[in-house]
mmCIF file of all heavy atoms in Angstrom:
data_model
loop_
_atom_site.group_PDB
_atom_site.id
_atom_site.type_symbol
_atom_site.label_atom_id
_atom_site.label_comp_id
_atom_site.label_asym_id
_atom_site.label_seq_id
_atom_site.Cartn_x
_atom_site.Cartn_y
_atom_site.Cartn_z
ATOM 1 N N LYS A 11 -26.576 50.343 50.415
ATOM 2 C CA LYS A 11 -25.204 50.354 50.856
ATOM 3 C C LYS A 11 -24.610 49.012 50.532
ATOM 4 O O LYS A 11 -25.125 47.967 50.894
ATOM 5 C CB LYS A 11 -25.103 50.587 52.384
ATOM 6 C CG LYS A 11 -23.663 50.666 52.936
ATOM 7 C CD LYS A 11 -23.699 50.932 54.375
ATOM 8 C CE LYS A 11 -22.292 51.082 54.936
ATOM 9 N NZ LYS A 11 -22.294 51.306 56.396
ATOM 10 N N ARG A 12 -23.451 49.048 49.840
ATOM 11 C CA ARG A 12 -22.868 47.764 49.456
ATOM 12 C C ARG A 12 -22.297 47.034 50.613
ATOM 13 O O ARG A 12 -21.518 47.549 51.464
ATOM 14 C CB ARG A 12 -21.719 48.102 48.459
ATOM 15 C CG ARG A 12 -20.803 46.930 48.146
ATOM 16 C CD ARG A 12 -21.500 45.785 47.346
ATOM 17 N NE ARG A 12 -22.231 46.297 46.179
ATOM 18 C CZ ARG A 12 -23.389 45.938 45.906
ATOM 19 N NH1 ARG A 12 -24.065 45.038 46.610
ATOM 20 N NH2 ARG A 12 -23.974 46.410 44.797
ATOM 21 N N GLU A 13 -22.639 45.803 50.789
ATOM 22 C CA GLU A 13 -22.082 44.927 51.812
ATOM 23 C C GLU A 13 -21.197 43.865 51.114
ATOM 24 O O GLU A 13 -21.621 42.962 50.440
ATOM 25 C CB GLU A 13 -23.221 44.234 52.564
ATOM 26 C CG GLU A 13 -24.088 45.164 53.291
ATOM 27 C CD GLU A 13 -25.207 44.409 54.016
ATOM 28 O OE1 GLU A 13 -25.226 43.177 53.988
ATOM 29 O OE2 GLU A 13 -26.092 45.054 54.581
ATOM 30 N N TRP A 14 -19.871 44.171 51.206
ATOM 31 C CA TRP A 14 -18.943 43.263 50.459
ATOM 32 C C TRP A 14 -18.816 41.941 51.234
ATOM 33 O O TRP A 14 -18.398 41.916 52.424
ATOM 34 C CB TRP A 14 -17.547 43.975 50.412
ATOM 35 C CG TRP A 14 -17.517 45.110 49.491
ATOM 36 C CD1 TRP A 14 -17.907 46.445 49.831
ATOM 37 C CD2 TRP A 14 -17.191 45.154 48.148
ATOM 38 N NE1 TRP A 14 -17.827 47.229 48.706
ATOM 39 C CE2 TRP A 14 -17.376 46.477 47.715
ATOM 40 C CE3 TRP A 14 -16.740 44.228 47.215
ATOM 41 C CZ2 TRP A 14 -17.121 46.844 46.459
ATOM 42 C CZ3 TRP A 14 -16.506 44.584 45.914
ATOM 43 C CH2 TRP A 14 -16.670 45.895 45.565
ATOM 44 N N LYS A 15 -19.107 40.888 50.604
ATOM 45 C CA LYS A 15 -19.085 39.556 51.214
ATOM 46 C C LYS A 15 -18.230 38.706 50.256
ATOM 47 O O LYS A 15 -18.781 37.933 49.392
ATOM 48 C CB LYS A 15 -20.476 38.992 51.394
ATOM 49 C CG LYS A 15 -21.322 39.752 52.462
ATOM 50 C CD LYS A 15 -22.659 39.101 52.634
ATOM 51 C CE LYS A 15 -23.487 39.934 53.657
ATOM 52 N NZ LYS A 15 -24.779 39.214 53.817
ATOM 53 N N PRO A 16 -16.955 38.787 50.344
ATOM 54 C CA PRO A 16 -16.129 38.090 49.344
ATOM 55 C C PRO A 16 -16.387 36.540 49.348
ATOM 56 O O PRO A 16 -16.375 35.872 50.421
ATOM 57 C CB PRO A 16 -14.702 38.357 49.828
ATOM 58 C CG PRO A 16 -14.786 39.640 50.639
ATOM 59 C CD PRO A 16 -16.162 39.577 51.279
ATOM 60 N N LEU A 17 -16.622 36.046 48.193
ATOM 61 C CA LEU A 17 -16.693 34.599 47.877
ATOM 62 C C LEU A 17 -17.808 33.901 48.628
ATOM 63 O O LEU A 17 -17.835 32.681 48.753
ATOM 64 C CB LEU A 17 -15.361 33.913 48.255
ATOM 65 C CG LEU A 17 -14.100 34.468 47.677
ATOM 66 C CD1 LEU A 17 -12.866 33.807 48.149
ATOM 67 C CD2 LEU A 17 -14.138 34.439 46.153
ATOM 68 N N GLU A 18 -18.794 34.645 49.155
ATOM 69 C CA GLU A 18 -19.883 34.016 49.894
ATOM 70 C C GLU A 18 -21.040 33.722 49.064
ATOM 71 O O GLU A 18 -21.518 32.605 48.857
ATOM 72 C CB GLU A 18 -20.293 34.890 51.095
ATOM 73 C CG GLU A 18 -19.294 34.966 52.165
ATOM 74 C CD GLU A 18 -19.739 35.697 53.409
ATOM 75 O OE1 GLU A 18 -20.974 35.964 53.451
ATOM 76 O OE2 GLU A 18 -18.990 36.016 54.337
ATOM 77 N N ASP A 19 -21.671 34.815 48.465
ATOM 78 C CA ASP A 19 -22.859 34.638 47.533
ATOM 79 C C ASP A 19 -22.359 34.599 46.151
ATOM 80 O O ASP A 19 -21.551 35.355 45.708
ATOM 81 C CB ASP A 19 -23.830 35.775 47.826
ATOM 82 C CG ASP A 19 -24.330 35.906 49.231
ATOM 83 O OD1 ASP A 19 -24.432 34.834 49.862
ATOM 84 O OD2 ASP A 19 -24.534 36.977 49.717
ATOM 85 N N ARG A 20 -22.980 33.702 45.353
ATOM 86 C CA ARG A 20 -22.624 33.565 43.877
ATOM 87 C C ARG A 20 -23.905 33.384 43.145
ATOM 88 O O ARG A 20 -24.691 32.424 43.444
ATOM 89 C CB ARG A 20 -21.689 32.414 43.755
ATOM 90 C CG ARG A 20 -21.038 32.364 42.403
ATOM 91 C CD ARG A 20 -20.127 33.524 42.198
ATOM 92 N NE ARG A 20 -19.142 33.762 43.201
ATOM 93 C CZ ARG A 20 -18.294 34.740 43.147
ATOM 94 N NH1 ARG A 20 -18.345 35.659 42.149
ATOM 95 N NH2 ARG A 20 -17.442 34.929 44.126
ATOM 96 N N SER A 21 -24.142 34.185 42.066
ATOM 97 C CA SER A 21 -25.312 34.103 41.301
ATOM 98 C C SER A 21 -24.977 34.542 39.899
ATOM 99 O O SER A 21 -23.900 35.151 39.666
ATOM 100 C CB SER A 21 -26.423 34.915 41.847
ATOM 101 O OG SER A 21 -26.037 36.277 41.929
ATOM 102 N N CYS A 22 -25.817 34.193 38.972
ATOM 103 C CA CYS A 22 -25.629 34.588 37.516
ATOM 104 C C CYS A 22 -25.729 36.100 37.391
ATOM 105 O O CYS A 22 -26.628 36.756 38.014
ATOM 106 C CB CYS A 22 -26.608 33.890 36.661
ATOM 107 S SG CYS A 22 -26.373 32.153 36.485
ATOM 108 N N THR A 23 -24.823 36.672 36.568
ATOM 109 C CA THR A 23 -24.862 38.159 36.419
ATOM 110 C C THR A 23 -25.028 38.383 34.908
ATOM 111 O O THR A 23 -24.429 37.758 34.013
ATOM 112 C CB THR A 23 -23.506 38.772 36.934
ATOM 113 O OG1 THR A 23 -22.411 38.094 36.285
ATOM 114 C CG2 THR A 23 -23.430 38.539 38.381
ATOM 115 N N ASP A 24 -25.727 39.512 34.633
ATOM 116 C CA ASP A 24 -25.975 40.045 33.258
ATOM 117 C C ASP A 24 -26.366 38.937 32.309
ATOM 118 O O ASP A 24 -25.813 38.728 31.190
ATOM 119 C CB ASP A 24 -24.689 40.700 32.746
ATOM 120 C CG ASP A 24 -24.235 41.889 33.569
ATOM 121 O OD1 ASP A 24 -25.038 42.821 33.642
ATOM 122 O OD2 ASP A 24 -23.248 41.828 34.225
ATOM 123 N N LEU A 25 -27.411 38.159 32.738
ATOM 124 C CA LEU A 25 -27.846 37.094 31.823
ATOM 125 C C LEU A 25 -28.371 37.552 30.472
ATOM 126 O O LEU A 25 -28.166 36.811 29.490
ATOM 127 C CB LEU A 25 -28.962 36.269 32.622
ATOM 128 C CG LEU A 25 -29.517 35.042 31.895
ATOM 129 C CD1 LEU A 25 -28.317 34.022 31.643
ATOM 130 C CD2 LEU A 25 -30.626 34.421 32.806
ATOM 131 N N PRO A 26 -29.112 38.680 30.376
ATOM 132 C CA PRO A 26 -29.497 39.162 29.004
ATOM 133 C C PRO A 26 -28.295 39.369 28.106
ATOM 134 O O PRO A 26 -28.431 39.060 26.866
ATOM 135 C CB PRO A 26 -30.250 40.469 29.318
ATOM 136 C CG PRO A 26 -30.715 40.343 30.709
ATOM 137 C CD PRO A 26 -29.655 39.538 31.426
ATOM 138 N N TRP A 27 -27.162 39.794 28.614
ATOM 139 C CA TRP A 27 -26.033 40.071 27.674
ATOM 140 C C TRP A 27 -25.437 38.743 27.310
ATOM 141 O O TRP A 27 -24.814 38.610 26.161
ATOM 142 C CB TRP A 27 -25.013 40.922 28.461
ATOM 143 C CG TRP A 27 -25.423 42.371 28.373
ATOM 144 C CD1 TRP A 27 -26.130 43.021 29.289
ATOM 145 C CD2 TRP A 27 -25.109 43.232 27.305
ATOM 146 N NE1 TRP A 27 -26.268 44.393 28.885
ATOM 147 C CE2 TRP A 27 -25.678 44.560 27.673
ATOM 148 C CE3 TRP A 27 -24.413 43.133 26.108
ATOM 149 C CZ2 TRP A 27 -25.589 45.578 26.831
ATOM 150 C CZ3 TRP A 27 -24.330 44.265 25.284
ATOM 151 C CH2 TRP A 27 -24.873 45.464 25.690
ATOM 152 N N PHE A 28 -25.477 37.706 28.183
ATOM 153 C CA PHE A 28 -24.996 36.435 27.800
ATOM 154 C C PHE A 28 -25.867 35.892 26.672
ATOM 155 O O PHE A 28 -25.287 35.273 25.671
ATOM 156 C CB PHE A 28 -25.060 35.422 28.956
ATOM 157 C CG PHE A 28 -24.824 34.024 28.634
ATOM 158 C CD1 PHE A 28 -23.548 33.542 28.182
ATOM 159 C CD2 PHE A 28 -25.890 33.082 28.669
ATOM 160 C CE1 PHE A 28 -23.361 32.290 27.838
ATOM 161 C CE2 PHE A 28 -25.636 31.779 28.319
ATOM 162 C CZ PHE A 28 -24.422 31.384 27.878
ATOM 163 N N LEU A 29 -27.188 36.039 26.741
ATOM 164 C CA LEU A 29 -28.040 35.588 25.709
ATOM 165 C C LEU A 29 -27.808 36.334 24.354
ATOM 166 O O LEU A 29 -27.839 35.743 23.273
ATOM 167 C CB LEU A 29 -29.554 35.775 26.078
ATOM 168 C CG LEU A 29 -29.931 34.947 27.341
ATOM 169 C CD1 LEU A 29 -31.377 35.200 27.669
ATOM 170 C CD2 LEU A 29 -29.734 33.369 26.996
ATOM 171 N N LEU A 30 -27.539 37.637 24.496
ATOM 172 C CA LEU A 30 -27.244 38.491 23.262
ATOM 173 C C LEU A 30 -26.005 38.074 22.646
ATOM 174 O O LEU A 30 -25.869 37.944 21.421
ATOM 175 C CB LEU A 30 -27.185 39.962 23.704
ATOM 176 C CG LEU A 30 -26.796 40.955 22.591
ATOM 177 C CD1 LEU A 30 -27.915 40.938 21.487
ATOM 178 C CD2 LEU A 30 -26.667 42.402 23.114
ATOM 179 N N PHE A 31 -24.984 37.804 23.437
ATOM 180 C CA PHE A 31 -23.754 37.356 22.917
ATOM 181 C C PHE A 31 -23.817 35.961 22.303
ATOM 182 O O PHE A 31 -23.225 35.696 21.230
ATOM 183 C CB PHE A 31 -22.631 37.269 24.050
ATOM 184 C CG PHE A 31 -21.290 36.926 23.558
ATOM 185 C CD1 PHE A 31 -20.483 37.812 22.837
ATOM 186 C CD2 PHE A 31 -20.754 35.687 23.835
ATOM 187 C CE1 PHE A 31 -19.223 37.416 22.373
ATOM 188 C CE2 PHE A 31 -19.463 35.242 23.401
ATOM 189 C CZ PHE A 31 -18.744 36.134 22.716
ATOM 190 N N THR A 32 -24.598 35.130 22.866
ATOM 191 C CA THR A 32 -24.882 33.836 22.300
ATOM 192 C C THR A 32 -25.599 33.895 20.937
ATOM 193 O O THR A 32 -25.080 33.246 19.991
ATOM 194 C CB THR A 32 -25.735 32.929 23.234
ATOM 195 O OG1 THR A 32 -25.078 32.841 24.512
ATOM 196 C CG2 THR A 32 -25.885 31.518 22.691
ATOM 197 N N VAL A 33 -26.543 34.776 20.821
ATOM 198 C CA VAL A 33 -27.202 35.015 19.564
ATOM 199 C C VAL A 33 -26.233 35.541 18.532
ATOM 200 O O VAL A 33 -26.261 35.165 17.345
ATOM 201 C CB VAL A 33 -28.368 35.953 19.711
ATOM 202 C CG1 VAL A 33 -28.956 36.384 18.382
ATOM 203 C CG2 VAL A 33 -29.524 35.307 20.560
ATOM 204 N N PHE A 34 -25.342 36.519 18.959
ATOM 205 C CA PHE A 34 -24.374 37.029 18.025
ATOM 206 C C PHE A 34 -23.462 35.903 17.520
ATOM 207 O O PHE A 34 -23.127 35.950 16.319
ATOM 208 C CB PHE A 34 -23.580 38.124 18.691
ATOM 209 C CG PHE A 34 -22.574 38.822 17.844
ATOM 210 C CD1 PHE A 34 -22.952 39.827 16.969
ATOM 211 C CD2 PHE A 34 -21.242 38.433 17.853
ATOM 212 C CE1 PHE A 34 -21.999 40.511 16.273
ATOM 213 C CE2 PHE A 34 -20.297 39.054 17.037
ATOM 214 C CZ PHE A 34 -20.723 40.041 16.207
ATOM 215 N N CYS A 35 -22.927 35.067 18.426
ATOM 216 C CA CYS A 35 -22.090 33.957 17.987
ATOM 217 C C CYS A 35 -22.829 33.022 17.061
ATOM 218 O O CYS A 35 -22.167 32.487 16.122
ATOM 219 C CB CYS A 35 -21.548 33.209 19.271
ATOM 220 S SG CYS A 35 -20.398 34.188 20.211
ATOM 221 N N VAL A 36 -24.107 32.798 17.326
ATOM 222 C CA VAL A 36 -24.890 31.949 16.353
ATOM 223 C C VAL A 36 -24.847 32.671 14.970
ATOM 224 O O VAL A 36 -24.800 31.934 13.958
ATOM 225 C CB VAL A 36 -26.296 31.730 16.899
ATOM 226 C CG1 VAL A 36 -27.163 31.081 15.900
ATOM 227 C CG2 VAL A 36 -26.290 30.866 18.156
ATOM 228 N N GLY A 37 -24.981 33.894 14.953
ATOM 229 C CA GLY A 37 -24.951 34.672 13.667
ATOM 230 C C GLY A 37 -23.571 34.511 13.005
ATOM 231 O O GLY A 37 -23.539 34.323 11.718
ATOM 232 N N MET A 38 -22.505 34.549 13.787
ATOM 233 C CA MET A 38 -21.125 34.266 13.193
ATOM 234 C C MET A 38 -21.039 32.905 12.554
ATOM 235 O O MET A 38 -20.604 32.703 11.493
ATOM 236 C CB MET A 38 -20.088 34.538 14.233
ATOM 237 C CG MET A 38 -19.935 35.924 14.774
ATOM 238 S SD MET A 38 -19.040 36.992 13.612
ATOM 239 C CE MET A 38 -17.376 36.246 13.735
ATOM 240 N N GLY A 39 -21.684 31.911 13.330
ATOM 241 C CA GLY A 39 -21.608 30.550 12.790
ATOM 242 C C GLY A 39 -22.535 30.460 11.558
ATOM 243 O O GLY A 39 -22.196 29.646 10.633
ATOM 244 N N SER A 40 -23.605 31.207 11.573
ATOM 245 C CA SER A 40 -24.537 31.157 10.311
ATOM 246 C C SER A 40 -23.844 31.676 9.108
ATOM 247 O O SER A 40 -24.065 31.159 7.967
ATOM 248 C CB SER A 40 -25.769 31.965 10.632
ATOM 249 O OG SER A 40 -26.440 31.453 11.740
ATOM 250 N N ILE A 41 -22.950 32.660 9.233
ATOM 251 C CA ILE A 41 -22.172 33.160 8.092
ATOM 252 C C ILE A 41 -21.332 32.072 7.527
ATOM 253 O O ILE A 41 -21.206 31.865 6.369
ATOM 254 C CB ILE A 41 -21.333 34.351 8.500
ATOM 255 C CG1 ILE A 41 -22.309 35.522 8.819
ATOM 256 C CG2 ILE A 41 -20.352 34.691 7.396
ATOM 257 C CD1 ILE A 41 -21.530 36.755 9.288
ATOM 258 N N PHE A 42 -20.684 31.256 8.435
ATOM 259 C CA PHE A 42 -19.815 30.165 7.984
ATOM 260 C C PHE A 42 -20.715 29.089 7.280
ATOM 261 O O PHE A 42 -20.316 28.635 6.243
ATOM 262 C CB PHE A 42 -19.100 29.557 9.242
ATOM 263 C CG PHE A 42 -18.355 28.279 8.886
ATOM 264 C CD1 PHE A 42 -17.186 28.363 8.179
ATOM 265 C CD2 PHE A 42 -18.820 27.118 9.356
ATOM 266 C CE1 PHE A 42 -16.472 27.285 7.857
ATOM 267 C CE2 PHE A 42 -18.100 25.921 9.038
ATOM 268 C CZ PHE A 42 -16.887 26.029 8.294
ATOM 269 N N GLY A 43 -21.896 28.803 7.880
ATOM 270 C CA GLY A 43 -22.753 27.862 7.237
ATOM 271 C C GLY A 43 -23.245 28.346 5.858
ATOM 272 O O GLY A 43 -23.421 27.535 4.944
ATOM 273 N N PHE A 44 -23.450 29.642 5.780
ATOM 274 C CA PHE A 44 -23.919 30.234 4.496
ATOM 275 C C PHE A 44 -22.890 30.044 3.423
ATOM 276 O O PHE A 44 -23.153 29.701 2.237
ATOM 277 C CB PHE A 44 -24.298 31.682 4.702
ATOM 278 C CG PHE A 44 -24.722 32.397 3.419
ATOM 279 C CD1 PHE A 44 -25.932 32.225 2.881
ATOM 280 C CD2 PHE A 44 -23.835 33.154 2.708
ATOM 281 C CE1 PHE A 44 -26.354 32.867 1.740
ATOM 282 C CE2 PHE A 44 -24.194 33.838 1.544
ATOM 283 C CZ PHE A 44 -25.488 33.687 1.032
ATOM 284 N N THR A 45 -21.606 30.308 3.790
ATOM 285 C CA THR A 45 -20.494 30.088 2.724
ATOM 286 C C THR A 45 -20.409 28.675 2.357
ATOM 287 O O THR A 45 -20.072 28.428 1.130
ATOM 288 C CB THR A 45 -19.239 30.658 3.360
ATOM 289 O OG1 THR A 45 -18.883 29.887 4.511
ATOM 290 C CG2 THR A 45 -19.307 32.050 3.712
#
Side-chain angles (χ1 to χ4, degrees):
K11 182 179 180 181
R12 168 67 51 223
E13 296 178 6
W14 291 85
K15 296 181 179 180
L17 307 177
E18 291 186 10
D19 300 327
R20 193 62 54 182
S21 60
C22 293
T23 56
D24 297 297
L25 186 58
W27 281 93
F28 170 70
L29 298 177
L30 177 63
F31 182 74
T32 303
V33 171
F34 183 83
C35 290
V36 170
M38 292 283 290
S40 300
I41 293 178
F42 176 70
F44 177 79
T45 60

